[in-house]
Amino acid sequence: MNKSNGDMAIQDEGILDQAEGLRRMRARKPIKVIAIASGKGGVGKTNVAVNLAVALAQQGAKPLLFDADLGLGNVDVLLGLSPRFNLSHVISGEKSMDEVLISGPWNIRILPAASGVARMANLDAQSQSNLIQGIGDLSLDMDYLLIDLPAGIAGDVLTFSQAAQEVLVVLSNEPASITDAYALIKVLSRNHGVKRFKVLPNMVRDQKEGDALFQRIAKVADGYLDVTLEQVGSLPQDPALRAAVRAQKAVVELYPEAPVSRALRDLALTIERWPHSFNAAGHMAFFMERLLMMHPESSI
């Protein structure tokens, strides 16, 4: 079906806007884009994302935390924040991405998702493209883009995982968590070309349990998948984290000497040493380009 001249003009204008956004991104310093994923809910993924952002900021970095659980976001809830606007207002065209940005502890910047907005959980390609464009338009100095993904293997999870430089898979020592984490890695590797994964055992009794948990999933992956898994430490089960959640604070800020806080700071230091994976002049530009290529109707 042929599109009208008006439709084509609107599409061409959108493509030019996206191209300009990419040019601005390329002029900036490289940004590490990390997707934080889990095979199932309840393994502490969002707590990892929130506290990792704060720990990086405490080390002098400038992270942006993108709550990509678009219809059921709760990053703001974990930090006791009450954003007036969220990403649903960007999708509707009511607000720009800059206008929905909020600040959290240690001046981390957050893109808050909507909560209980059903249409946000199943965005069409054009809406995803609008969201991508909004990220490209951000007038923000940042070192990291941390993407707190929804649990599981929904479309947004696969899209953002493909485009990120690093995929950090969080899992706990429960059969369902291990099985679902393996399923996520399998789908991303076999169907979407993701071959490298960082693995973070969470809520373990000690480092020995964390190491054993990693070996369990790595052994199965080595036998059946063409992937490289790397363990990036372990996070202990710690009552300080539960207390911080109840207080709606980041545990690394509220209880900085707690075992889980020390482990999260160690993880942040490890991430600081990760090399930049891509040769693009600006990795945020690479991220945007990868996403746009997944939606040919809005590619440049």
Side-chain angles (χ1 to χ4, degrees):
M1 181 181 295
N2 293 328
K3 294 187 177 181
S4 69
N5 291 337
D7 289 342
M8 292 298 293
I10 292 171
Q11 183 183 37
D12 289 345
E13 183 178 351
I15 290 172
L16 289 173
D17 288 343
Q18 290 167 347
E20 178 59 28
L22 286 173
R23 280 191 289 273
R24 288 197 298 272
M25 280 297 181
R26 288 192 184 97
R28 302 178 189 175
K29 60 187 177 184
I31 295 167
K32 291 180 180 176
V33 182
I34 303 170
I36 303 172
S38 65
K40 67 179 291 292
V43 302
K45 170 186 57 62
T46 298
N47 264 312
V48 170
V50 165
N51 282 283
L52 185 54
V54 176
L56 286 166
Q58 290 174 333
Q59 293 168 191
K62 298 175 181 178
L64 169 64
L65 178 54
F66 171 21
D67 189 346
D69 196 348
L70 299 174
L72 292 170
N74 58 10
V75 164
D76 54 335
V77 175
L78 283 179
L79 290 173
L81 303 173
S82 300
R84 184 178 178 187
F85 303 108
N86 56 58
L87 289 170
S88 70
H89 298 98
V90 176
I91 295 298
S92 67
E94 299 171 64
K95 296 293 177 181
S96 69
M97 197 72 81
D98 279 300
E99 290 175 311
V100 304
L101 269 177
I102 59 175
S103 295
W106 286 78
N107 202 35
I108 65 170
R109 307 309 298 276
I110 299 165
L111 287 172
S115 182
V117 180
R119 64 184 176 85
M120 291 295 290
N122 297 287
L123 293 182
D124 59 25
Q126 184 58 54
S127 295
Q128 288 188 9
S129 177
N130 292 342
L131 192 59
I132 295 161
Q133 175 60 28
I135 295 174
D137 286 340
L138 279 172
S139 55
L140 183 66
D141 183 21
M142 58 178 154
D143 304 304
Y144 292 89
L145 173 62
L146 303 180
I147 309 171
D148 180 30
L149 296 171
I153 53 175
D156 289 349
V157 173
L158 303 176
T159 296
F160 287 121
S161 295
Q162 281 178 269
Q165 292 165 267
E166 304 287 354
V167 178
L168 176 62
V169 179
V170 181
L171 75 164
S172 63
N173 197 6
E174 300 174 355
S177 174
I178 299 166
T179 300
D180 291 350
Y182 175 79
L184 172 65
I185 292 169
K186 177 180 176 180
V187 170
L188 283 170
S189 63
R190 289 188 174 177
N191 299 343
H192 300 281
V194 181
K195 298 299 182 182
R196 297 182 304 107
F197 298 86
K198 311 293 189 185
V199 178
L200 179 66
N202 191 24
M203 300 184 291
V204 295
R205 289 188 299 271
D206 51 33
Q207 186 64 46
K208 183 178 179 180
E209 182 182 0
D211 293 346
L213 176 54
F214 172 75
Q215 289 301 325
R216 285 180 64 185
I217 194 167
K219 183 177 180 179
V220 179
D222 287 346
Y224 297 97
L225 303 176
D226 180 22
V227 296
T228 299
L229 303 187
E230 178 186 347
Q231 184 181 359
V232 289
S234 297
L235 300 181
Q237 193 166 31
D238 190 337
L241 181 60
R242 293 193 295 274
V245 169
R246 288 193 295 270
Q248 293 182 287
K249 300 288 185 181
V251 70
V252 293
E253 181 179 41
L254 189 60
Y255 301 110
E257 297 308 313
V260 70
S261 297
R262 292 196 297 267
L264 282 158
R265 287 197 300 273
D266 288 344
L267 176 60
L269 287 170
T270 297
I271 288 174
E272 291 270 30
R273 294 192 291 267
W274 288 355
H276 291 289
S277 303
F278 303 137
N279 294 322
H283 300 305
M284 187 64 176
F286 189 96
F287 171 73
M288 288 181 63
E289 287 170 336
R290 289 281 292 272
L291 286 171
L292 291 169
M293 283 191 295
M294 295 172 199
H295 301 294
E297 70 279 5
S298 55
S299 66
I300 63 172

